Amino acid sequence: MFELTFLGCSGGPMEGSTCALLVKPATSSYLTLKPGELLCIDGGSGLASLTETIYHEQRTSQPYSKTIELLASQTNIKSPQDICEAVVTTPFAEIQGSPFYEARKIFSCLSNYLITHPHLDHIAGLVVNSSGFDAENPKSVYGSEVCMSALSAHIFNNIIWPDLPQHKLLSLNSVNYEHPFSPSHGVYSVTMFELSHGVNYKSSAFLINYKPADARDNASADQEHMLLVFGDFESDRVSGASTNIHVWQQVAPLVARGQLRGIVVECSHGDSLNDSLLFGHLKSSDLIHELATFKELIEAEGGSINGLHVVVNHVKDLDSDVRLQILKELRDGASLHQLDIKISLPLSGVSLVI
Amino acid sequence: MFELTFLGCSGGPMEGSTCALLVKPATSSYLTLKPGELLCIDGGSGLASLTETIYHEQRTSQPYSKTIELLASQTNIKSPQDICEAVVTTPFAEIQGSPFYEARKIFSCLSNYLITHPHLDHIAGLVVNSSGFDAENPKSVYGSEVCMSALSAHIFNNIIWPDLPQHKLLSLNSVNYEHPFSPSHGVYSVTMFELSHGVNYKSSAFLINYKPADARDNASADQEHMLLVFGDFESDRVSGASTNIHVWQQVAPLVARGQLRGIVVECSHGDSLNDSLLFGHLKSSDLIHELATFKELIEAEGGSINGLHVVVNHVKDLDSDVRLQILKELRDGASLHQLDIKISLPLSGVSLVI
C-alpha cells in the first residue's frame, strides 16, 4: 500500500497549491523514513504547503484542506472524507516541533522528483524551493528529455532562475519512455509512459513499482505494489491517438495479477464544458471512457477492475467548485459501465492510503 | 498616501508567498475601486494569497499573516504591528461574500502589473493566475526590455506556459529606464530605474507618482504623492557600481519637496551573513549604507530624511526567522547615522498605509 500526500492538487488558476504529490510506502512513518522511500511527483507546490499541513494536523489531528474553507460558500464539501472513498490519513499529526523546521526535515529526506511535464503549475514549487536545497543532499529530478530540456533551457538558465544544476543542488535526468529506471537506493522501479496534453504538448505518466526491502533480490511479483500516476493529459477520444490505450494495455496485466493499488488521474472539468475549451485536459465523461477501455483490457487478461482506487486531481478552481458535480458524473458513468471502482477527489493538503 | 497590501513578501525558499505588492490610493476602498487605481508590483504570489487574506480579515477583523503561525517557535513576533511602524490596516475586513469570489472580483479590477525582474519568485503567481484572466479585461504587464523578453522567450512560450499574450489575456510592454510612462487610465505616472541584482542580473525600481483626479490637468506638485519600490538588488558597496546612488540622486529632491511617502526595499539577510553568500541581495548594513547615502543627498537638496517610511521585504525564510535581528540591526544603524526613519517589516498578507 502507498500513502499519498497531495501538497497541491489544483489545476489553477490559484497559485501555491498546484499539483505536487508525495508518495511513500504506507508502512513507513514520516518519523522514520528510510533513504529513497519518499518520492515527489510534480512540484507545483512544496515546502510551504507541507509546512501548513503539518501545522494544522498537529493542532487538530484532523485531515485539513484550506480549499474547503476558502470555497465554503461555493460547495457543500465539509471534510475531505465527503469526496474520498480511500482512507484519509493524518500522517503529520504526531510530529512534534515547529512545522517550518519539520517540513524542512522531511524535504531533506526527499531525494527524488518525477516531473510529468514542464508547465509552471507542475514545477513552480520545486523551483522556488530549490534555492533552499542542500548541496550535501542534492535532489534528482527525472522526466522526459523534452521536459528536462525545457527546465534547463527556460528555468535553470540564469534568467528565470539560477543554474542550480551547475551548482550541484539538483540534477536533471532524462529518462526514456517505457525503460524502467530506479531512483537512488532502489526502493522503487519507475516506468514512464508518453501522454498527449493537447496540440503540441507532451506529458507523462509514471508507473511506480515499490519493492519491499526483503523482496528486492528475488523478484517475487506478489510482494510488489504498483501505483500509476498521470500528468495532465487528454482523452484518446479527443486526441484521436492511441496514447492512453497503450498505457492501459501495459498496465492491465498488473491489475489482473492484483498488483496495482490504484491510479492517480486528472479530471479538470465537469461535463458541462465544451470540448473546444478542454485544452488538453479530461472532463468526467472522458475519464469514464478511458476507464471503460481499461476495464475491457483487464477483463481480457482474466482480471477485474472492481475495487481499484481511482484518485482524481487537477480540478480547475474556476468560478464555482465543480468537485461534487464531477464526483456525481463519475459515479453515474461508473454505474453505467459497471465499473465498481473506488473514487476519491482529494484536496490540497490531504493524505490518502491506497 | 498609499495603501500597500503584501500578497507575498518572502524571499523564498517557501513557495506561494513570494514578492507581490498591491498598491492603491489610501483614500480609495476595495469596495469602490476606480479603473486604474490598483497596481500590482511583481507577481510572485497573487489570487490565492489574496483569497486567504480576505478569508482571515473577514473573520477576525485583525491583520493576519500565516507566516507568524508557521514560524511561531522560531520568532517572538506575535502580530504584524510588532515589526511595523507604519499603520497596519485591514482593508478586506468589511468585504462581504465568498473570499474566493471577492478575490477574483478585486483581481478583475487590476489592470496593470509592474515587474521588477523575471526571477520566478517574482512572477510565478502572475503566470499561474493568468490562465484565469479574462480577455475582456486583459492585464498590461510593464517592465524592462530584458524582463519582458525573458517572459516572452522563457515563460509564455508554449513550453512552460501557453502563449497567453497571443491570446490577448495579457500584454507584455517594454518600457525604458527613466522615461515616465502612464499605465492605462492615467491614475499613475511611473518611472523605472535600473538596478544591479548580482553578476549578470538586472532588476528595476519603480517610482510611482499618484495624481488625484482633480490634479491631473494642472501639475500641482504638492498634490502628487510618490512611492519608490525596489526589486531585488545589491548595494553599491558590493557591486562597486553607482547604480543606486543614481536612483537616490533622482529621488532626493522629491523628499526635499515632501512628495515621497516612502520606499519599499529589500533586506534579505541579517549582518551575520558573509558577503560571498549575498548573491545580489542586501543585508542590514547594506541598507543602512544606502539610506545614509540617500540622507546626504536629501540634505544637499535642503530637505530631511526624517519621518520617511522605509518598508523592508524579501527577508529569506531560511533556518531561523531573522526579522527581529534585521529590525534591531536597522534601528541600531539608523541611530548611528542619525536616520530618524520609520521602519516596517511587513509579512505576507499584511496591509500598511504610508
Side-chain angles (χ1 to χ4, degrees):
Chain A
M1 292 192 294
F2 297 92
E3 186 170 62
L4 315 181
T5 294
F6 291 83
L7 298 178
C9 60
S10 163
M14 301 283 266
E15 82 281 2
S17 58
T18 56
C19 289
L21 173 61
L22 291 178
V23 173
K24 68 171 185 59
T27 48
S28 300
S29 156
Y30 275 102
L31 295 168
T32 57
L33 277 175
K34 295 184 189 69
E37 284 188 333
L38 189 59
L39 289 178
C40 191
I41 302 170
D42 281 338
S45 45
L47 186 62
S49 172
L50 181 60
T51 304
E52 281 190 71
T53 301
I54 292 172
Y55 174 84
H56 287 282
E57 287 193 10
Q58 280 182 332
R59 270 145 195 79
T60 68
S61 296
Q62 293 294 313
Y64 170 77
S65 180
K66 67 181 169 193
T67 311
I68 292 175
E69 293 179 341
L70 299 179
L71 290 173
S73 71
Q74 299 179 270
T75 181
N76 286 318
I77 302 166
K78 302 301 175 204
S79 92
Q81 290 94 329
D82 291 349
I83 47 174
C84 290
E85 290 188 75
V87 173
V88 179
T89 53
T90 54
F92 310 106
E94 300 302 315
I95 290 176
Q96 308 291 317
S98 147
F100 181 74
Y101 177 79
E102 296 295 330
R104 284 182 69 89
K105 204 162 75 175
I106 289 170
F107 261 65
S108 75
C109 297
L110 170 62
S111 302
N112 300 295
Y113 282 86
L114 312 177
I115 303 294
T116 63
H117 66 299
H119 279 167
L120 195 66
D121 57 328
H122 293 256
I123 61 169
L126 162 63
V127 178
V128 173
N129 293 167
S130 67
S131 63
F133 289 171
D134 177 358
E136 290 181 15
N137 177 29
K139 312 301 188 198
S140 298
V141 180
Y142 298 89
S144 69
E145 198 281 329
V146 167
C147 180
M148 295 301 103
S149 296
L151 291 179
S152 181
H154 299 301
I155 300 294
F156 297 107
N157 63 356
N158 285 328
I159 297 171
I160 300 301
W161 204 246
D163 182 2
L164 298 185
Q166 191 179 44
H167 295 286
K168 312 291 186 201
L169 293 186
L170 74 167
S171 62
L172 301 177
N173 305 279
S174 294
V175 291
N176 294 320
Y177 295 117
E178 306 189 35
H179 283 68
F181 63 98
S182 281
S184 62
H185 304 289
V187 177
Y188 301 96
S189 170
V190 179
T191 306
M192 182 175 72
F193 296 98
E194 184 174 356
L195 299 175
S196 171
H197 180 24
V199 180
N200 295 329
Y201 294 103
K202 293 295 178 198
S203 178
S204 303
F206 293 105
L207 178 66
I208 297 161
N209 181 347
Y210 170 62
K211 299 182 177 187
D214 54 5
R216 268 172 232 163
D217 294 329
N218 61 56
S220 171
D222 59 359
Q223 289 184 277
E224 296 179 2
H225 293 173
M226 299 194 189
L227 174 72
L228 179 62
V229 181
F230 287 80
D232 298 0
F233 72 117
E234 64 188 345
S235 174
D236 282 353
R237 179 189 70 80
V238 171
S239 67
S242 54
T243 320
N244 303 339
I245 198 171
H246 176 74
V247 178
W248 302 131
Q249 281 167 340
Q250 303 303 306
V251 177
L254 307 177
V255 182
R257 291 208 296 270
Q259 288 179 285
L260 191 76
R261 300 298 311 174
I263 66 172
V264 179
V265 66
E266 76 135 284
C267 187
S268 296
H269 299 282
D271 274 335
S272 58
L273 194 78
N274 190 290
D275 280 2
S276 66
L277 298 174
L278 282 173
F279 299 117
H281 294 286
L282 295 184
K283 62 183 186 181
S284 308
S285 55
D286 292 330
L287 179 52
I288 291 297
H289 167 83
E290 293 296 331
L291 292 172
T293 303
F294 192 28
K295 174 182 190 261
E296 284 180 21
L297 292 165
I298 294 166
E299 289 174 352
E301 296 282 338
S304 165
I305 199 172
N306 291 354
L308 188 75
H309 282 286
V310 176
V311 182
V312 174
N313 71 0
H314 203 272
V315 175
K316 287 271 186 187
D317 287 315
L318 289 170
D319 291 332
S320 65
D321 186 40
V322 296
R323 286 177 183 79
L324 287 174
Q325 179 197 337
I326 289 174
L327 190 59
K328 180 178 187 309
E329 290 168 354
L330 293 177
R331 284 187 174 150
D332 289 350
S335 174
L336 191 67
H337 290 82
Q338 295 176 301
L339 297 161
D340 187 15
I341 53 179
K342 294 179 181 170
I343 303 170
S344 296
L345 271 76
L347 296 155
S348 298
V350 166
S351 298
L352 300 176
V353 167
I354 66 175
Chain B
M1 292 191 294
F2 296 91
E3 186 169 62
L4 316 180
T5 295
F6 290 84
L7 297 179
C9 60
S10 164
M14 301 281 266
E15 82 282 1
S17 59
T18 56
C19 290
L21 173 60
L22 291 178
V23 173
K24 69 171 184 59
T27 48
S28 299
S29 154
Y30 275 104
L31 294 168
T32 56
L33 277 175
K34 295 185 188 69
E37 283 188 334
L38 189 60
L39 289 177
C40 191
I41 302 170
D42 282 339
S45 45
L47 186 63
S49 173
L50 181 60
T51 304
E52 281 190 71
T53 301
I54 293 173
Y55 174 83
H56 287 283
E57 287 195 10
Q58 280 182 333
R59 269 146 197 79
T60 68
S61 296
Q62 293 296 312
Y64 170 78
S65 180
K66 68 181 170 193
T67 311
I68 293 176
E69 293 180 340
L70 299 179
L71 290 172
S73 70
Q74 298 179 270
T75 181
N76 286 317
I77 302 167
K78 301 302 173 203
S79 92
Q81 288 95 329
D82 291 349
I83 48 174
C84 289
E85 291 188 75
V87 173
V88 179
T89 53
T90 53
F92 311 105
E94 301 301 316
I95 290 176
Q96 308 292 317
S98 146
F100 181 74
Y101 176 79
E102 296 295 331
R104 284 182 68 90
K105 203 161 76 175
I106 289 170
F107 261 65
S108 76
C109 296
L110 170 62
S111 301
N112 300 295
Y113 281 86
L114 311 178
I115 303 294
T116 64
H117 66 300
H119 278 168
L120 195 66
D121 56 329
H122 293 256
I123 62 169
L126 162 63
V127 178
V128 173
N129 293 167
S130 67
S131 63
F133 289 172
D134 176 359
E136 291 181 13
N137 176 30
K139 312 300 188 198
S140 298
V141 180
Y142 297 90
S144 68
E145 199 280 329
V146 167
C147 180
M148 294 301 103
S149 296
L151 291 179
S152 180
H154 299 302
I155 300 294
F156 296 107
N157 62 357
N158 286 327
I159 296 170
I160 299 301
W161 205 247
D163 182 2
L164 298 187
Q166 192 179 42
H167 296 286
K168 312 292 185 201
L169 293 185
L170 75 166
S171 62
L172 302 176
N173 305 280
S174 295
V175 290
N176 293 321
Y177 296 116
E178 306 190 36
H179 283 66
F181 63 98
S182 282
S184 62
H185 304 289
V187 176
Y188 301 97
S189 169
V190 179
T191 307
M192 182 175 72
F193 296 99
E194 184 174 355
L195 300 175
S196 171
H197 181 25
V199 181
N200 296 327
Y201 295 103
K202 293 294 177 197
S203 178
S204 304
F206 293 105
L207 178 65
I208 297 162
N209 180 345
Y210 170 63
K211 300 182 177 187
D214 53 7
R216 267 172 234 165
D217 293 330
N218 61 57
S220 170
D222 59 357
Q223 288 183 280
E224 295 179 4
H225 292 172
M226 300 194 189
L227 175 72
L228 180 61
V229 182
F230 287 79
D232 297 2
F233 73 118
E234 65 188 344
S235 174
D236 282 353
R237 179 188 72 79
V238 172
S239 67
S242 54
T243 321
N244 303 339
I245 196 171
H246 176 73
V247 179
W248 301 131
Q249 283 166 340
Q250 304 303 306
V251 177
L254 307 177
V255 182
R257 291 208 297 269
Q259 290 179 285
L260 190 75
R261 300 298 311 173
I263 65 173
V264 179
V265 64
E266 76 135 286
C267 188
S268 296
H269 299 283
D271 274 335
S272 58
L273 194 78
N274 190 289
D275 281 1
S276 67
L277 298 174
L278 283 174
F279 300 118
H281 294 286
L282 296 184
K283 62 183 185 181
S284 308
S285 55
D286 292 330
L287 179 53
I288 291 297
H289 167 82
E290 294 296 331
L291 292 172
T293 303
F294 193 27
K295 173 182 188 263
E296 285 180 20
L297 292 165
I298 294 166
E299 289 173 352
E301 296 282 339
S304 165
I305 200 172
N306 290 354
L308 189 75
H309 282 288
V310 176
V311 182
V312 175
N313 69 359
H314 203 270
V315 176
K316 286 271 187 188
D317 287 314
L318 290 169
D319 290 332
S320 65
D321 186 41
V322 296
R323 286 179 183 80
L324 288 174
Q325 179 196 337
I326 289 174
L327 189 60
K328 181 179 186 310
E329 290 168 354
L330 292 178
R331 285 186 174 151
D332 290 350
S335 173
L336 191 67
H337 290 81
Q338 296 176 298
L339 298 161
D340 187 14
I341 53 178
K342 294 180 180 168
I343 304 171
S344 296
L345 272 76
L347 297 155
S348 298
V350 167
S351 298
L352 300 176
V353 166
I354 66 174

